Amino acid sequence: MSLPSDDPQLPSNPLDSAAPLHYPPPSPTTQNAHPQAVPLEEDSAVTRAEKFERHGDASVSESDEPSSKRIKLDVEPDVKLSVPAERQKGVVPIKAEFLVNVPGSRNDRRRAIIDDDAAEASPHLDQRDQTDSRGGKRKKEKNRGQNKSRNFGSSRDERGLCQSRAIYPEFSPAQCQYGDNCKFEHDLRKYLKDWKREDLKTFGAECPIWALRGKCDSGFKCRFAGSHMKEQETSDGNRELILVEKDGHDRSMLNGDSEEHETGIVNVVSTQAKADLLKRKTQTPKADKYAAFLEKSGQEVLERSEHTSSKDLVTNMDENTNGSGSVQDIRAQYTEPPFLPSEKRRIYFGPETPVLAPLTTQGNLPFRRLCIALGAQVTYSEMAMSMPLIQGQRSEWALMKAHESETRPPRYSGSPVVEGYDNSKDSKFGAQIAGNKALQVLKATEIIHSLCPQLRVIDLNCGCPIDLVYRQGAGSALLDNQSKLEKILRGMNAVSGEIPITVKIRMGTRDGKPNAVKLINRLVYGGSEASEFGGGASGVAAITLHGRSRQQRYTRSADWEYISDCAALIKRHNERGSELVDTIQELDARYQPAGGKVYFIGNGDCYSHADYSRHLSEAKVDSVMVARGALIKPWIFEEIEQGQYLDKSATERLAIIEQYVRYGLETWGSDEMGVGTTRRFLLEWLSFACRYVPVGIMEHLPPNLQDRPPAWRGRNELETLLGSDNYLDWIKISEMFLGPAHKDFKFEPKHKSSSYGGEDMTVVEG
């Protein structure tokens, strides 16, 4: 129910006096997870307005709380500050006045330990492996454990509007190509009256896409359609519904594939290109030629190894210089690639370039765009599997899309770290792929190079710990097959044109048996197989090491001492590029990365500017990759740039969420389906963001990513809401910007939990 702005029971909107406040519409998802709270004196304008919208409280005050990034404590005057207690391992040290229960009591409740593998490959967790160890069909099992067939329902109009009517005037002569067989509605007025939900009232009831671009590609299907459509009288006296556009935007370009005309988006692959991939019409001559070379050279090496020791193989290669031996015959089978690693585009990693990790599901385009706005300097796509890319799957190629902000150069101090580096030709966005077969990875690399021009690097994932990916021989499984991994990386360098190749690895697959030092040594100098056929080093431009094993997952902290040891190895290589370690022939400079420098990036448990600075100074890495830390507080990149903790107020954090929603609507659309998609990914992100504990209510700094908080309350109700681990509260937050959820929308969190809802916390795996 909406009240007029001059109603005596209704206070003026503290944000905009011209915009009336509204009572919250009834919804099963808007049940109170917290008791009603009286607006406090220190509440900000947004907080007070939000309290009224949710509770209908008419006692909203007119005073404002100044927004500040300085750490300060908002407590009632009669609350006595507690003496800081000794820090307890594994527990977030929250000041006593903000604890809901006294630690040590029977009501003390810890939040559930969350399986953070979801940040690396959650879509692959949803898949069911239907084969047994012998390759046969496995008997179907009941879904158990985490993330098995999570159901998100659907967000669609009860009956959709045909696209031939969605973006054209009501009386347009445009014809539907499906004619009478079309299953969508063609009567525009009937669609608006019977099948489409009422327009959203958020964002001032104005379509944020139309406000930004002057046009909305969703047309009449937009949930804000009322802000950019009107009824006008035609020459024959009829009333016609038309769409209103700013600045004379031409809608004729939408006659074809609208996906190809996305504003501000790069690396958009056309429908025709994906169809050619599906029909196997796309040729990959470089990958095919190199794969045949690898196969034949491998057979030759195997045959020779049956008659001589591996040590003699290299010795015999030096002695056999007349061109009559098997090695020379192998080399003659393959022509040098048009691009060698040393000839590729130069890139740069440094202290001023914090890296956002490739995060499956959560690392979508709107989230990367948000992190770029907050200071991230390098981003990666979500991990894409090679085979679906080769097959032209739309969902996989969508991962290659990037926003135009990701095509700009990263921050650069100007120090000439690499000879010939041109910052103006550099960019922020790289693609990450995974695969278990050399030919598949090489084909995917060559196709990506030809279809996606705006790429900084192509990164090979060798760290994904998920069982399904591992059993297929991809991800971290390649750590145990280093010869194969080296060949894949060398082949990727041969087919990727001017795009450099990088790799992300873990310490190893098993606890207590790290092999990353051995692998790094092999990648920067080349293994014995490489010298057998003159392949040189792999030529990787950068190596990222996650300081955990596959077996360890996230059960313990990352091992930065081991990362430091590996960084020292890379440093020695860069300082003595022509000197050899455990090799007997001189390195071929042509196969070294551009400029002869291999960058080394550390990854694991970076949660503050203090962590970032410590890793740079102590581990001596070139830069640090941030993963979960960015999901929990995206402004970590601001902290790194400014070198200080930022105590973001609840209002500031809500503004960041609003910005993400705007980016989501721009990416996925403002129609019913786009709003549902934005809501789903917002909730996925909030499942991490709710774990943030404001530094202003902590007794000890720095915060530790591995610590888990006891039950706590914030400095105001909105801060408490943002810190809730109850998924119903996340839905409530989404409805502040996206309105009530669709009746068929479902969200099954990876860990359903009850936040402050009873005596005991329950965790149900879904």
Side-chain angles (χ1 to χ4, degrees), residues 232-247:
Q232 69 176 12
E233 185 173 349
T234 62
S235 58
D236 56 3
N238 291 319
R239 306 292 294 180
E240 180 184 28
L241 291 174
I242 64 169
L243 293 169
V244 179
E245 296 179 349
K246 296 180 181 179
D247 304 326

Side-chain angles (χ1 to χ4, degrees), residues 442-475:
L442 299 191
K443 282 179 174 287
T445 302
E446 184 173 354
I447 295 170
I448 289 173
H449 167 254
S450 63
L451 297 181
C452 301
Q454 298 287 348
L455 286 178
R456 184 181 204 242
V457 299
I458 299 177
D459 185 78
L460 180 65
N461 182 302
C462 300
C464 180
I466 302 305
D467 291 340
L468 179 59
V469 176
Y470 179 80
R471 287 197 298 268
Q472 292 176 347

Side-chain angles (χ1 to χ4, degrees), residues 335-377:
T335 304
E336 278 191 345
F339 284 92
L340 293 171
S342 61
E343 300 169 345
K344 292 178 180 290
R345 185 195 315 121
R346 269 67 167 167
I347 59 174
Y348 171 75
F349 288 96
E352 66 271 45
T353 60
V355 182
L356 175 65
L359 300 165
T360 304
T361 300
Q362 285 85 5
N364 47 62
L365 189 150
F367 183 76
R368 297 198 311 269
R369 186 178 173 187
L370 180 68
C371 290
I372 288 288
L374 292 171
Q377 296 302 306

